[in-house]
Amino acid sequence: MKERVHSTQLKQFIGKTAVAAGWVQDIRLMGGLKFLVVKDREGFFQITLPKKAVSAEIFAVPDKLTKESVVRVEGEVKAAVQAAGGYEIIPARLEVVSLAGAPTPLDTSGKIESGLDARLDYRFLDLRNHKSIALFKLRAKMLKYVIDYFEQQGFIGINTPKLTSAGVESGAELFEVNYFGRKACLAQSPQIYKQMMVCAGFEKVYEIGAVYRAEKSQTTRHLTEFTGIDFEMGFIDSFHDPMDVIEGMFRHVIAELNKNCAKELALFNRKPVVPKKIPRLSLDEAKKLLAAQGKKIPDGEDLDPEGERLIAKIVKEKFGEEFVFLTHYPWGKRPFYHMRPVDDPKVTLSFDLVWNGIEVSTGAQREHRYEVLKAQAKEKGLDLDAMKDYANLFKYGAPPHGGAGLGLDRFVECLLELDNIREGILLPRDPIRLTP
Ligand code: ATP
Ligand code: MG
């Protein structure tokens, strides 16, 4: 049997025989001439059936065919057909590999719009178009470039448990699991484990893995299951070190995407700007800039979504950057393990990275001194020693360290300026949706 080729390879077969296969997009019956427009992963091709040039058996095939059926054709390749945007094949053999039911629950050509819910119900049909495939190619490349970057920077990739007894974060966002009659939780962050591995002597670690959050609200940027990109690094001088890493990561990933995936990005009308130097503004400085534009944020509060959008706009005008680090979040808003500056215990050595007005990452220097950490936990009404596995990390040699977490799905949403985070994940999970 001849090897199957993609629509984009047919060019090399003009005047010769080739085998191609895909999903039927369009069926045109015009008396003595019939056409099938077929889609494969890379593009389209057309099967042309002139009554005089093909067998009676083959000529009859389109009559019983439905859109989205899978067909396989072998025949001579003719020059490009403009209408179908691909090459033309005159079939010597034409096989209906899988006949699709009709009508399909969704229009896959993108000509008839369906609501997001209907699309997600039949996600495999919703994705059966070149723009969706481009999106997920981009997503896979982003992940590759993220991993390349961490590897180049000397980080060690780790995989930590997602079934846990409890985290160090508050319990509100935890999904409980019945673990052989015991109560377990799905990890809402690899926080404990990445710090553990720094203390284990790995020094610099990163993890790409599932993160679970029982976020009740239905928003355009929250999922209950998402892919986290987390890293943690030891022997840092300050919380600027993890910010430098994130900055380097975005610079690398965006430059690689612009270099290697311009065609896919163009489908989304995006040419993301490679950050030069991401401004680092303390929350107080940001609030002053916002106040000057009439937006007041109370003391001890962080920015609301509107504030984040406005600060992004100001930064873009002032610094020409799509990104901004906001630093020194109030102690009241951050977990007990974020380090505080000696001279200002009201704030933390923490940061958020905001991209075009949306938070994509949060990080901090962690408190690594057992006594200080214990006191900080107490201030928040927590007992460090009750979190035995966490407390132990700081008793037997813990270097100063810090890190951050970001969501890949949020990253895709911002990169492609999607209306909804659900567009950029294959099968979203949210408070309502648990299928398919
Ligand atoms: P947000 O304020 O947007 O709810 P967060 O501050 O609660 O996020 P973090 O704990 O800081 O979230 O998580 C680190 C990163 O993980 C976020 O900056 C974001 O990129 C991503 N992230 C957090 N929660 C979600 C979620 N529910 N769905 C998708 N991505 C998320
Ligand atoms: Mg955050």
Side-chain angles (χ1 to χ4, degrees):
M1 198 160 50
K2 274 182 89 76
E3 198 186 331
R4 176 193 168 220
V5 294
H6 275 128
S7 51
T8 41
Q9 296 167 285
L10 290 172
K11 194 178 178 179
Q12 301 146 31
F13 289 85
I14 292 175
K16 288 185 260 177
T17 298
V19 173
W23 289 266
V24 174
Q25 281 301 278
D26 209 0
I27 304 163
R28 291 189 213 130
L29 310 175
M30 305 166 78
L33 194 58
K34 296 174 184 172
F35 300 103
L36 301 176
V37 178
V38 183
K39 172 175 64 191
D40 63 20
R41 194 182 74 179
E42 307 298 328
F44 295 99
F45 63 90
Q46 178 170 295
I47 304 174
T48 304
L49 302 95
K51 190 169 185 176
K52 288 190 199 126
V54 298
S55 73
E57 197 190 329
I58 288 178
F59 192 68
V61 169
D63 301 345
K64 294 169 291 199
L65 207 53
T66 48
K67 284 188 190 177
E68 299 305 331
S69 293
V70 175
V71 294
R72 187 175 180 281
V73 63
E74 181 170 346
E76 192 187 328
V77 181
K78 302 277 184 191
V81 176
Q82 284 309 315
Y87 293 85
E88 184 182 44
I89 303 178
I90 311 293
R93 288 171 65 177
L94 177 59
E95 186 191 343
V96 180
V97 178
S98 168
L99 188 68
T104 46
L106 283 183
D107 170 59
T108 68
S109 70
K111 283 179 197 139
I112 306 165
E113 272 200 29
S114 309
L116 185 60
D117 256 330
R119 289 176 42 209
L120 293 175
D121 283 343
Y122 282 95
R123 189 63 160 153
F124 71 100
L125 288 177
D126 178 46
L127 295 172
R128 200 182 278 171
N129 66 78
H130 297 121
K131 191 172 174 185
S132 297
I133 294 168
L135 190 156
F136 287 94
K137 267 194 203 170
L138 280 168
R139 184 180 158 120
K141 289 290 182 221
M142 285 159 79
L143 206 48
K144 174 189 165 8
Y145 302 141
V146 167
I147 294 171
D148 287 348
Y149 175 77
F150 281 118
E151 292 287 329
Q152 282 162 20
Q153 297 295 312
F155 284 77
I156 299 174
I158 57 171
N159 300 101
T160 66
K162 302 306 154 204
L163 281 168
T164 67
S165 64
V168 278
E169 318 280 340
S170 75
E173 291 182 348
L174 290 172
F175 280 114
E176 275 185 22
V177 179
N178 179 343
Y179 195 72
F180 307 111
R182 265 191 294 163
K183 203 170 83 181
C185 300
L186 296 178
Q188 59 159 328
S189 124
Q191 189 60 41
I192 290 186
Y193 300 120
K194 55 182 187 170
Q195 288 186 256
M196 189 183 281
M197 296 316 145
V198 168
C199 295
F202 289 35
E203 297 190 10
K204 292 160 86 174
V205 295
Y206 73 96
E207 173 161 12
I208 317 285
V211 173
Y212 299 94
R213 303 255 171 115
E215 313 248 16
K216 258 276 172 58
S217 50
Q218 258 331 71
T219 79
T220 55
R221 42 173 150 151
H222 291 93
L223 298 163
T224 50
E225 178 181 61
F226 65 92
T227 299
I229 302 169
D230 271 272
F231 73 91
E232 199 70 28
M233 56 201 291
F235 300 99
I236 59 172
D237 293 325
S238 80
F239 76 148
H240 286 286
D241 295 9
M243 279 192 270
D244 290 343
V245 167
I246 299 190
E247 184 171 321
M249 187 201 83
F250 275 95
R251 214 180 276 142
H252 175 76
V253 174
I254 294 175
E256 288 297 307
L257 287 169
N258 282 337
K259 191 165 88 192
N260 304 314
C261 307
K263 199 177 84 194
E264 284 80 11
L265 285 170
L267 292 175
F268 295 85
N269 292 320
R270 273 292 273 157
K271 197 167 187 320
V273 180
V274 180
K276 282 184 206 77
K277 181 77 202 141
I278 301 180
R280 297 174 189 188
L281 302 176
S282 74
L283 210 53
D284 277 349
E285 289 169 308
K287 283 180 184 178
K288 281 193 193 115
L289 290 171
L290 288 171
Q293 305 247 339
K295 168 97 187 153
K296 285 250 175 332
I297 310 270
D299 269 353
E301 289 297 315
D302 53 13
L303 306 191
D304 54 14
E306 191 200 333
E308 286 181 346
R309 279 193 295 274
L310 188 56
I311 198 69
K313 195 167 154 266
I314 297 170
V315 165
K316 189 130 196 206
E317 282 159 12
K318 223 169 132 95
F319 304 94
E321 292 280 1
E322 290 186 353
F323 292 88
V324 59
F325 279 113
L326 300 174
T327 66
H328 298 91
Y329 276 74
W331 161 245
K333 294 279 167 193
R334 292 281 150 149
F336 73 93
Y337 56 83
H338 282 194
M339 188 180 264
R340 295 191 278 189
V342 236
D343 54 345
D344 190 1
K346 288 198 301 301
V347 298
T348 51
L349 294 170
S350 64
F351 55 85
D352 267 16
L353 178 65
V354 175
W355 188 4
N356 282 331
I358 295 178
E359 175 200 321
V360 283
S361 179
T362 290
Q365 174 155 8
R366 322 300 182 186
E367 183 49 71
H368 65 284
R369 297 161 297 181
Y370 174 79
E371 291 303 335
V372 182
L373 187 62
K374 192 172 162 65
Q376 287 198 176
K378 198 167 167 214
E379 252 185 81
K380 296 257 184 198
L382 301 166
D383 177 9
L384 177 64
D385 293 319
M387 300 172 252
K388 194 169 133 267
D389 291 326
Y390 193 59
N392 283 343
L393 299 183
F394 309 96
K395 292 181 185 166
Y396 308 102
H401 62 282
L406 67 141
L408 175 66
D409 313 272
R410 192 75 70 81
F411 188 173
V412 174
E413 185 185 15
C414 292
L415 176 84
L416 301 178
E417 292 181 336
L418 305 174
D419 293 334
N420 195 316
I421 194 166
R422 290 164 184 75
E423 302 271 357
I425 177 167
L426 288 175
L427 298 162
R429 291 289 177 258
D430 64 35
I432 295 168
R433 183 167 289 278
L434 201 52
T435 57

